[in-house]
Amino acid sequence: MVKNVFGRIYIGLIMLFLYAPIVVLIVLSFNNSKSRAKWGGFTLKWYSELFDNSIVMDALWTTLTLAILSAVIATVLGLLGAIGIDAMKKRNYQIMLGATNIPMLNADIVTGIALMLFMVRFLPLGFSTMLIAHITFNIPYVIFSILPKLQQIDVSVYEAARDLGANSVKAFWKVIIPIIKPGITSGFLLAVTMSLDDFIITYFTRGAGVNTLSTVIYGEIRRGIKPEMYSLSTILFLMVLIVLVMSNRASKKQVK
Amino acid sequence: MKRMSRKHLATPYVFWIICFTILPLIYIAWYAVSDGDGGYTVENILAIFEPVHWKAFVLSIELALICTVVCLLLAYPVVLILRRLKIKKKGTIVAVLILPMWMNFILRVYAWQVLLSDNGIINSFLGMLGLPSINIINTPAAIVFGMVYDFLPFMILPIYNSLMEIPNDIIEAAKDLGADGFTIFRKIIWKLTLPGVISGITMVFVPAMTSFVFSDILGGGKIQLIGNVIEQEFTTSMNWQLGSGLSIALMTIILLIMALLQKSNQQTKGNNMIW
Amino acid sequence: MSDNLLELRGISKAFDGKTILQELDLNIKSNEFVTLLGPSGCGKTTTLRIVGGFEKPDTGSVIFNGEDITALAPEKRHINTVFQKYALFPHMNVEENIAFGLKIKKKSKEYIKDKIKYALKLVDLDGFEKRKPNSLSGGQQQRIAIARAIVNEPEILLLDEPLGALDLKLRQDMQSELIRLKNELGITFIYVTHDQEEALTMSDKIVVMHRGLVQQIGTPKDIYDEPCNAFVADFIGDSNLLKGKMLDDRLVEFLGERVICVDEGFGKNEPVDIVIRPEDVEINEVGKGIVNGVVKNILYKGANYEMTVEAGGFDWLIHNTVAYPVGSMVSLYVKPFNIQIMKQMDESEMILDEDMENETYE
């Protein structure tokens, strides 16, 4: 099929577009020259120097803690929220959905500034304000991952569990949670991803001296980004890639 | 379970929304109308119409519109091809589109600077092929380029979801009733994917309209978008009232645009979430 | 030229190396109600999709009005389909759904309006013009799907298990509705179902299919009274299926008894399959039948009793209006013309392939 060949080429070009910058960054992480325009030979020195760079390591630590912590809290709040919203009557349900949509639809810059203006009244800007901000924009992703799964559940599944002798908590824990588990997992992973990738909201809610990778890099742009950043990003990216490929393989084997 | 007790599970979340979504918005609105000396004024909101701000605002709208249209034009064929190739592993497609986000966002945009700069990788490559070089770095075109790059997945995913929901027999029924490929697209596929398209447009237009990162990195710092203006009010000028006023104005206008968009598509309700 | 409206000649089709249809031949005349009947995976839906143009056969040809349309796209055929799950366009109301095909054919506004009115009246849903499909019940959606197809005046209407999703009462109503429609429209219906009762009720002609092969083609009465092999006998209605041996013309042996029958032309001592319908087994006093036995089980079925009688080492299924208590001794008798004798079928062919379900849906 000629059409299919063109189709594949087109998809290939889009993939190239999406992944070109990533390839560039990976290549730069092995570049011996500090200039980003010239290839100065292959080196691993940015990888070894990475661990001595306290600014980068601190930022990495903050970024990861922020991502995991905000995703965990958002998942718990979001799971409870989704279950509650699912049980609501039409009017409240619509109101809650609308409110949940606000952080997703509102401009990041407005969300960031609004949170900053509000929180600065009673909290010093720093890790805690960043954490609250990240939880706030993560929850909608969790809720919108879980809610559709809850709505797909046949009520009789829960009733069957009760019929077979499970009390309400047990029926919920043993039946409903396993069914919506894919939604919980994807909500959590999305939350981690969004937290890691965020710049604008973090930028407005952070305090002096507390940095994530994004804010460090943003600050370095004018002066030139330290090559250690490339190697760090490469490591993070490849780790996620490997995990993804492996989980994909595992799920394929399960199917077989 | 009893519906009563289940509803209450949402209480912590309701509390969270009130504290960290609703109250901050009330706060920023309050800042926007206060003059800093205890009085109230609408000047900070109307400041959007001052020539300096208005120019940045109009340019932002222009670039965001171009970015949205380009994303739509690039994304729709992708989705159609994915359906034609019968690629149904949604997980894989989502993963491939989300995976780049694990490379830091600022770095990825910065990489485009490396690629697009006048003596950058793309131009060296074009030079090797004997083709003329492209000089778009530090122009609005480069800003749009970066935005399209970053937001394209958010256009693809919702359209992909809505297209994959169309059962095959609907399309066969249209064929059966005499519709050719183009008619099927126009009357069935396009109409049924409209909720996805609108959700995609929202996901792309709003951040494209308000971000200040692309203009900073790819625009060479000389091109001012409304995002840059607001950011500077908070970081360099330290005029929080003005910054809040402009934010509220921006938010209002975006809401109006979105409302119009939704209204143009009253019929197609339903779930247009991307996840 | 033959008087066949549609001819399928030597159609074969395989998906992923799995044969679905083997050398299928089928002729359909104008104005017939033809039912393709068979278990899941027998190839009936694939046959319908080949006629509709949604699948291309690997070999063979589809002849419509004497013209080869094998390669013709579905939108160019004078054939319309009523889909299993209705396939109404969810974003259009009833009127727009019905008008879809006519608008493509660029019919005038008045024509379309008249047609919609006529079609809705025909399916007994006048006044539903502005309703959206999702506000209709299953039966109503089904009728709209039919209306949407017939306004295009197809010469053949294809119906793919159209009543499968409806409940029993509605299904029965729709059956008579469909027969009425077919008579009023005077067009050919090709109907796919796995429900033998539905097939017997509605069809002029039944095509029994199994494993991609046509087993038997005939009127409902032919198929029921004279099944050509054990598969057909077993699939259509209840039956007692016995193994036997043809001793001579009009003389068959089964369960160790020699019995007079009416069939001729088998080889001497040829092994055969024998079908006896439950309502054809008569119950007599002990000694006054072919075999003696004992009543093992009895169920009241309203119109009659359903009994199981063990006789000659075989459990007979019997429908009778008189009840015999469990444990009573009886003798079974079958009139010679009620004994159906068929060439023996390979045992393995009898097993229904349940795993081949949904043969065409990926």
Side-chain angles (χ1 to χ4, degrees):
Chain A
M1 294 267 212
V2 182
K3 267 186 179 168
N4 281 355
V5 173
F6 280 123
R8 280 170 205 277
I9 292 173
Y10 184 76
I11 300 278
L13 285 174
I14 295 287
M15 296 298 292
L16 182 70
F17 178 51
L18 290 179
Y19 281 84
I22 288 167
V23 175
V24 168
L25 293 169
I26 293 176
V27 170
L28 283 178
S29 78
F30 297 109
N31 185 6
N32 202 3
S33 154
K34 245 189 169 171
S35 152
R36 58 194 173 86
K38 276 203 306 270
W39 176 249
F42 181 85
T43 181
L44 287 173
K45 75 174 172 201
W46 308 123
Y47 285 84
S48 57
E49 282 175 20
L50 166 66
F51 299 97
D52 302 328
N53 186 330
S54 65
I55 296 175
V56 176
M57 291 319 279
D58 282 352
L60 172 67
W61 180 241
T62 310
T63 307
L64 290 180
T65 333
L66 192 57
I68 301 292
L69 217 52
S70 70
V72 168
I73 299 172
T75 305
V76 173
L77 281 174
L79 174 63
L80 293 175
I83 294 165
I85 292 172
D86 186 50
M88 284 177 187
K89 298 253 163 55
K90 201 164 167 115
R91 210 180 114 83
N92 285 341
Y93 179 86
Q94 292 297 346
I95 292 173
M96 286 307 289
L97 275 198
T100 304
N101 256 317
I102 294 175
M104 285 186 99
L105 296 182
N106 207 352
D108 278 358
I109 191 170
V110 178
T111 306
I113 290 171
L115 273 164
M116 183 270 282
L117 289 175
F118 174 65
M119 290 191 295
V120 79
R121 287 264 144 168
F122 53 88
L123 269 177
L125 291 180
F127 186 80
S128 52
T129 50
M130 287 155 87
L131 181 63
I132 290 174
H134 278 234
I135 294 168
T136 305
F137 72 72
N138 274 340
I139 293 180
Y141 291 102
V142 176
I143 290 199
F144 287 124
S145 299
I146 295 176
L147 209 48
K149 301 273 177 225
L150 276 173
Q151 283 159 350
Q152 280 164 16
I153 293 179
D154 185 354
V155 186
S156 54
V157 175
Y158 174 80
E159 286 169 353
R162 294 297 297 270
D163 183 71
L164 295 169
N167 63 28
S168 69
V169 175
K170 205 160 207 165
F172 203 81
W173 200 249
K174 294 265 178 195
V175 178
I176 305 294
I177 295 288
I179 295 177
I180 61 173
K181 211 173 138 203
I184 301 174
T185 317
S186 67
F188 173 77
L189 290 177
L190 265 173
V192 172
T193 313
M194 290 302 156
S195 169
L196 280 184
D197 198 54
D198 178 68
F199 166 69
I200 293 180
I201 295 174
T202 314
Y203 180 75
F204 284 107
T205 52
R206 83 194 172 94
V210 190
N211 268 306
T212 65
L213 289 171
S214 296
T215 57
V216 171
I217 296 167
Y218 189 72
E220 282 178 352
I221 280 181
R222 299 253 187 279
R223 289 170 277 139
I225 288 171
K226 295 206 178 65
E228 289 95 322
M229 278 298 178
Y230 306 139
S231 47
L232 176 64
S233 300
T234 304
I235 294 173
L236 279 177
F237 180 79
L238 291 181
M239 269 169 30
V240 173
L241 184 64
I242 290 166
V243 169
L244 257 181
V245 171
M246 288 209 312
S247 68
N248 197 28
R249 284 248 176 96
S251 66
K252 253 185 202 163
K253 265 186 194 151
Q254 264 182 353
V255 171
K256 275 176 189 169
Chain B
M1 72 208 72
K2 277 173 262 154
R3 291 184 84 79
M4 276 304 286
S5 64
R6 202 146 77 94
K7 263 194 305 204
H8 293 304
L9 288 176
T11 313
Y13 175 54
V14 172
F15 174 77
W16 192 278
I17 285 188
I18 292 170
C19 279
F20 298 114
T21 302
I22 311 292
L23 280 181
L25 284 178
I26 294 173
Y27 235 79
I28 194 173
W30 178 74
Y31 255 98
V33 294
S34 59
D35 60 7
D37 300 318
Y40 295 99
T41 171
V42 287
E43 239 170 69
N44 290 321
I45 296 175
L46 295 178
I48 190 93
F49 298 112
E50 283 169 21
V52 194
H53 302 149
W54 187 247
K55 204 178 131 213
F57 178 75
V58 170
L59 182 62
S60 301
I61 285 200
E62 278 171 12
L63 296 192
L65 272 180
I66 298 171
C67 165
T68 308
V69 170
V70 173
C71 277
L72 184 58
L73 292 179
L74 285 177
Y76 215 101
V78 171
V79 174
L80 288 177
I81 291 165
L82 288 177
R83 181 169 174 126
R84 178 188 289 277
L85 294 176
K86 301 207 165 121
I87 296 174
K88 284 189 185 147
K89 284 198 210 103
K90 190 188 159 198
T92 314
I93 289 161
V94 173
V96 165
L97 291 173
I98 301 276
L99 184 60
M101 287 190 194
W102 284 75
M103 200 92 174
N104 189 280
F105 157 63
I106 306 282
L107 274 186
R108 278 182 289 130
V109 179
Y110 177 72
W112 278 110
Q113 194 187 33
V114 178
L115 278 161
L116 291 175
S117 59
D118 289 345
N119 49 6
I121 295 170
I122 291 180
N123 276 332
S124 326
F125 192 68
L126 289 174
M128 272 181 351
L129 295 174
L131 293 166
S133 60
I134 47 167
N135 303 316
I136 65 166
I137 195 71
N138 300 343
T139 67
I143 299 175
V144 171
F145 202 98
M147 288 174 174
V148 169
Y149 162 76
D150 199 54
F151 301 135
L152 186 58
F154 296 99
M155 186 64 91
I156 295 178
L157 284 171
I159 303 179
Y160 173 81
N161 283 348
S162 55
L163 184 69
M164 287 302 171
E165 269 172 24
I166 303 177
N168 229 347
D169 57 359
I170 295 268
I171 289 166
E172 285 185 350
K175 267 190 213 169
D176 187 79
L177 295 168
D180 56 31
F182 182 66
T183 312
I184 293 176
F185 176 78
R186 203 165 49 92
K187 289 201 161 180
I188 310 287
I189 294 179
W190 174 252
K191 290 274 168 67
L192 288 176
T193 51
L194 254 187
V197 169
I198 288 191
S199 154
I201 290 175
T202 316
M203 304 286 298
V204 171
F205 182 79
V206 177
M209 168 93 200
T210 57
S211 182
F212 57 88
V213 175
F214 302 96
S215 40
D216 245 14
I217 300 178
L218 298 171
K222 273 166 255 149
I223 301 166
Q224 289 267 311
L225 296 184
I226 191 68
N228 301 83
V229 173
I230 294 175
E231 185 241 345
Q232 281 152 20
E233 291 306 328
F234 282 92
T235 52
T236 47
S237 314
M238 284 304 199
N239 188 345
W240 287 13
Q241 282 79 17
L242 179 57
S244 301
L246 292 175
S247 298
I248 288 292
L250 180 64
M251 205 175 100
T252 313
I253 295 170
I254 288 177
L255 278 179
L256 280 176
I257 296 175
M258 290 302 137
L260 282 176
L261 193 64
Q262 286 293 347
K263 208 176 174 188
S264 72
N265 184 43
Q266 273 295 331
Q267 296 162 310
T268 45
K269 275 181 232 134
N271 189 6
N272 41 4
M273 294 305 139
I274 57 163
W275 313 113
Chain C
M1 217 178 95
S2 64
D3 62 341
N4 290 325
L5 179 64
L6 182 80
E7 290 176 28
L8 301 182
R9 292 190 191 149
I11 302 276
S12 296
K13 178 81 189 171
F15 289 107
D16 302 326
K18 225 179 190 174
T19 305
I20 301 295
L21 291 175
Q22 304 174 40
E23 293 291 320
L24 179 96
D25 291 307
L26 183 61
N27 295 330
I28 290 169
K29 289 189 177 44
S30 212
N31 211 0
E32 266 186 325
F33 195 126
V34 180
T35 299
L36 306 181
L37 174 67
S40 299
C42 73
K44 55 191 192 299
T45 296
T46 306
T47 309
L48 198 76
R49 290 172 61 81
I50 285 173
V51 175
F54 301 111
E55 305 284 353
K56 299 261 171 293
D58 298 337
T59 63
S61 48
V62 182
I63 313 290
F64 180 65
N65 270 335
E67 224 175 289
D68 189 332
I69 59 160
T70 318
L72 199 66
E75 61 267 27
K76 305 224 166 82
R77 300 186 180 200
H78 292 286
I79 296 173
N80 285 114
T81 308
V82 176
F83 290 81
Q84 190 169 8
K85 292 184 195 110
Y86 324 131
L88 295 177
F89 305 127
H91 56 304
M92 300 180 187
N93 63 25
V94 164
E95 193 176 51
E96 290 163 333
N97 261 286
I98 298 176
F100 187 86
L102 299 174
K103 277 190 191 153
I104 283 166
K105 292 187 192 78
K106 303 231 164 18
K107 301 286 187 193
S108 74
K109 273 211 169 98
E110 296 82 63
Y111 178 89
I112 294 178
K113 219 175 157 191
D114 285 353
K115 268 287 181 187
I116 292 172
K117 220 171 169 188
Y118 161 77
L120 282 178
K121 207 171 193 83
L122 203 62
V123 297
D124 211 15
L125 282 177
D126 7 11
F128 280 67
E129 284 85 349
K130 304 289 177 203
R131 297 277 289 271
K132 278 279 175 100
N134 60 14
S135 73
L136 302 176
S137 71
Q140 289 168 336
Q141 289 188 41
Q142 185 56 266
R143 284 191 264 177
I144 297 303
I146 293 169
R148 184 178 70 175
I150 59 177
V151 289
N152 301 286
E153 299 178 354
E155 289 186 62
I156 302 180
L157 188 66
L158 307 178
L159 301 105
D160 185 7
E161 307 229 12
L163 310 184
L166 306 180
D167 61 43
L168 182 67
K169 181 75 183 70
L170 202 54
R171 204 153 67 218
Q172 285 166 346
D173 291 348
M174 282 301 289
Q175 283 173 12
S176 32
E177 193 91 341
L178 280 172
I179 298 170
R180 178 180 67 79
L181 264 176
K182 197 227 130 211
N183 292 334
E184 254 171 69
L185 294 166
I187 59 173
T188 305
F189 276 33
I190 304 180
Y191 190 93
V192 159
T193 184
H194 63 267
D195 182 333
Q196 41 107 3
E197 265 184 51
E198 209 168 277
L200 292 173
T201 315
M202 299 166 67
S203 325
D204 298 323
K205 188 198 260 180
I206 294 178
V207 180
V208 184
M209 294 179 71
H210 180 45
R211 294 195 154 184
L213 293 169
V214 170
Q215 304 291 325
Q216 189 171 3
I217 301 179
T219 64
K221 194 166 162 47
D222 288 343
I223 303 261
Y224 188 81
D225 291 345
E226 315 252 346
C228 72
N229 64 30
F231 172 78
V232 177
D234 197 40
F235 193 73
I236 310 280
D238 294 327
S239 56
N240 294 295
L241 214 54
L242 299 133
K243 295 238 169 277
K245 193 160 73 179
M246 207 62 191
L247 297 176
D248 204 340
D249 280 353
R250 297 183 296 281
L251 187 63
V252 65
E253 184 192 287
F254 58 86
L255 303 178
E257 307 287 337
R258 292 161 169 245
V259 182
I260 308 280
C261 63
V262 294
D263 294 79
E264 301 177 355
F266 288 89
K268 271 231 159 97
N269 291 323
E270 185 181 336
V272 289
D273 285 329
I274 296 150
V275 168
I276 299 165
R277 296 291 179 190
E279 62 273 22
D280 292 336
V281 185
E282 296 166 24
I283 300 181
N284 290 339
E285 283 168 44
V286 176
K288 291 192 174 170
I290 299 166
V291 281
N292 294 332
V294 57
V295 178
K296 277 173 69 181
N297 193 7
I298 180 162
L299 292 171
Y300 179 58
K301 286 278 182 176
N304 55 21
Y305 294 91
E306 186 180 291
M307 281 173 276
T308 314
V309 173
E310 188 185 341
F314 181 82
D315 282 344
W316 293 74
L317 183 70
I318 300 168
H319 294 165
N320 203 312
T321 48
V322 183
Y324 289 79
V326 173
S328 51
M329 300 293 292
V330 293
S331 186
L332 306 181
Y333 175 73
V334 186
K335 294 200 174 84
F337 56 82
N338 280 332
I339 299 174
Q340 291 305 320
I341 301 196
M342 309 161 305
K343 284 209 183 297
Q344 210 162 49
M345 209 178 164
D346 190 356
E347 193 77 38
S348 70
E349 283 177 39
M350 283 293 300
I351 300 158
L352 305 185
D353 259 338
E354 291 302 339
D355 62 353
M356 283 173 75
E357 221 163 321
N358 292 334
E359 61 262 36
T360 53
Y361 303 108
E362 276 101 5

